Amino acid sequence: MKIDIILCGVGGQGILSIAAALGAAALRNKLSIKQAETHGMSQRGGDVVSHMRISDKPIHSDLIPTGGADMILSVEPLEALRYLPFLSPKGYVVTNTTPFKNIKNYPEEQSIMDQLNKLPHVITIDADKMAADMNAKRSSNIIMLGAAAPFLDMSYQSFEDGIRDIFGRKGDDVVTMNLDALKAGFDFSMKNKK
Amino acid sequence: MQKLLLGAEAVAQGAIDGGMSGVYAYPGTPSTEITEYIQGSPIARERKIHSMWSANEKTAMEAALGMSYAGKRSMACMKHVGMNVAADCFMNASITGVNGGMLVVAADDPSMHSSQNEQDSRFYAKFAMIPVLEPSSQQECYDMTYNGFDLSEKYNVPVMVRITTRIAHSRAGINQLAMKAENEMSLPKNPTQFVLLPAIARKNYKKLLAIQEDLVKASEESPWNKYFEGADKSKGIIACGIAYNYFRENFPEETCPYPVIKVSQYPLPRKMINKLAAEVDEIIVLEDGYPIVEELLKGYLEKEAVRGRLDGTLPRDGELNPGLVAAAFGFKVEAGLAIPELVVGRPPAMCTGCSHIDVYTALNVAIEKYGKGRVFADIGCYTLGALPPYNAINSCVDMGASITMAKGAADSGLVPAVAVIGDSTFTHSGMTGLIDAVLGKAPITIIISDNESTSMTGGQDSSAVGLIENICLAVGVEPEHLHVLLPLKKNHDEMVEIISRELAYDGVSVIIPRRECIQKAVRRKKTEAKLKK
């Protein structure tokens, strides 16, 4: 098996927490991982991307080739579109719909949604609202991870274990909150996938 | 179980496990995480491995050499442009040689993700005639620092470990090896080894020249260089460092028809290269950064069938990736979907509430009557003042160049000229320029925008904290032209007034707007709140 994911968002949105949970899940399954991150200047509110590669065979390139990603997992809708050249024809776009507007010329939200809805395999989810409704504002990224889970070739259990690994030292409340967030995202995608 | 580490972190872990006694560094993307990892490592703390930040890359390189002199294993880490700052010591360290093993980690940034240029540090190693280790994977990052000290001690030279952004900032699982003991302190056997008086330097240099063949031989026998046979002799491939991965992404080992050399240790393994050249029609060189190997093989007359970045087989600049390598072999590259037209750029920006914003807002008002084009800035978050809506600065060249360029421009009649520099950059390389400005009575206004932090790289401690006013006064800045301001919106008018007054002064003025980095303040408040609980 091989899973190539483009993880994207805006510097400061914490996409690396998703990557960490995914990485922990993969390590538990004794899979190989390579995960290229964006550090440095772009972390100051610029666009950031992480190439996450998981496989049961050795992985060569740290970067995913264009047209090769099984998924674009984005915590911001405009950023989901920026990396479309990486998406494989069979790949899924899973994106949060809450915009992060730190630029003056941010496009009209509806036109972004129109572009997203044109894609053959897409899940759009208002993870920020869902997190707020669950009183778990800081777990919107884990909701996104849950929403991605049905399309990734790993057991749901391994995602749960990954979350326990990552948040374990922060206490049971944080773990439970994030497990609930994972479940909420997962259920949303199961209900809304085409 | 494997440990999931960034390439930079693997470099650090390998050095710790390899018996290092101290790391010396100045923060700079993509090298910063190496030192941060060591600072956070419990085992490093237990061993009391030195890991405090240095004032700049030159002081770091010198301190690492000093530790090596005393017999212990040391490492100096920096981004590629930091090599320029440290080059004076670096070039001479290959002539002194080492006592304890010494590694120089240079982190290059092809495609300039966070840099002013994409210079290739392998040039420096070639210039200094020392070996380079260039990992193609995170495991090799670990293995190379773990074993690199031995190589350095065996040949009595510093060894460069050259990484690039992509490998530094990419994570993979690492297998650790048994931890080695640190070296005992010991003086160099030859008491004059480190005394580079001409007579001694000439002897040392001959020694360095004499081991060059041994270094080539070491490369030929290195576990990190490998010759893969191939039946199709129409092409042979030389793939260096991380470029080897991009090649294997396209040509997995089991199906690759061509002979291939993986190069991860330099000087080049000459026998392997000659063998390849003898059996193939043409050679394609894959290397991230400058076409150093290609140029070496190609010579000047272009008779040799060597292809790569120089003849357009690959782009001359920018980072390699699997697609570019595929295209070099004529593969069809999957294009994916086009980016919709509505997608606009999202450049990095100064954070909401950042003190630099208040500084630029005031400076722009104060300087308006003199006209544009007179603000020389430096390297740091405040470089983002070049972007709209501020459009406040006219230069960003190298660490410390703000003050000295302002002086040069003022010398040629651009008066007033302004320098904008951060606190950490000021102690890195700004203070020596300030001495020139004071001695030359240059009509410049220097704004040291002090956020008490090295922020662009993630908020590391700044060497400048608590020192700036004293440094300025000590080198002769007049007390009545030294001001400390609190950059807040409510103080805007006062800031404009003071900056205006100093712009009109015919001499050196220093203005220090001081407010803690907003990111650091948030982190500090969080930690304090936690401690209260």
Side-chain angles (χ1 to χ4, degrees), chain B residues 229-244:
Chain B
E229 303 288 347
D232 184 345
K233 313 288 187 196
S234 63
K235 288 181 182 47
I237 287 87
I238 298 175
C240 308
I242 196 169
Y244 177 75

Side-chain angles (χ1 to χ4, degrees), chain B residues 168-185:
Chain B
H169 289 167
S170 172
R171 249 171 245 281
I174 301 297
N175 295 313
Q176 273 179 263
L177 299 163
M179 193 151 172
K180 294 182 193 172
E182 292 175 66
N183 286 359
E184 295 294 325
M185 197 181 82

Side-chain angles (χ1 to χ4, degrees), chain B residues 230-267:
Chain B
D232 184 345
K233 313 288 187 196
S234 63
K235 288 181 182 47
I237 287 87
I238 298 175
C240 308
I242 196 169
Y244 177 75
N245 294 345
Y246 302 142
F247 177 72
R248 283 296 182 214
E249 184 75 16
N250 288 290
F251 290 97
E253 208 177 316
E254 39 301 349
T255 57
C256 177
Y258 309 118
V260 179
I261 305 176
K262 168 185 180 286
V263 174
S264 282
Q265 181 172 334
Y266 306 76

Side-chain angles (χ1 to χ4, degrees), chain B residues 89-158:
Chain B
C89 176
F90 175 76
M91 290 303 296
N92 292 319
S94 76
I95 310 287
T96 61
V98 303
N99 184 19
M102 173 170 163
L103 298 180
V104 176
V105 183
D108 292 355
D109 190 18
S111 276
M112 304 177 226
H113 299 281
S114 277
S115 305
Q116 315 93 293
N117 74 30
E118 59 175 36
Q119 68 185 59
D120 190 319
S121 296
R122 292 177 299 167
F123 262 116
Y124 268 117
K126 189 169 183 302
F127 197 13
M129 292 183 279
I130 61 164
V132 182
L133 303 176
E134 189 187 14
S136 67
S137 66
Q138 287 73 4
Q139 184 66 52
E140 282 188 349
C141 287
Y142 176 88
D143 295 342
M144 284 175 171
T145 45
Y146 182 84
N147 292 301
F149 294 113
D150 291 339
L151 187 68
S152 167
E153 285 167 9
K154 181 171 179 189
Y155 294 99
N156 185 34
V157 284

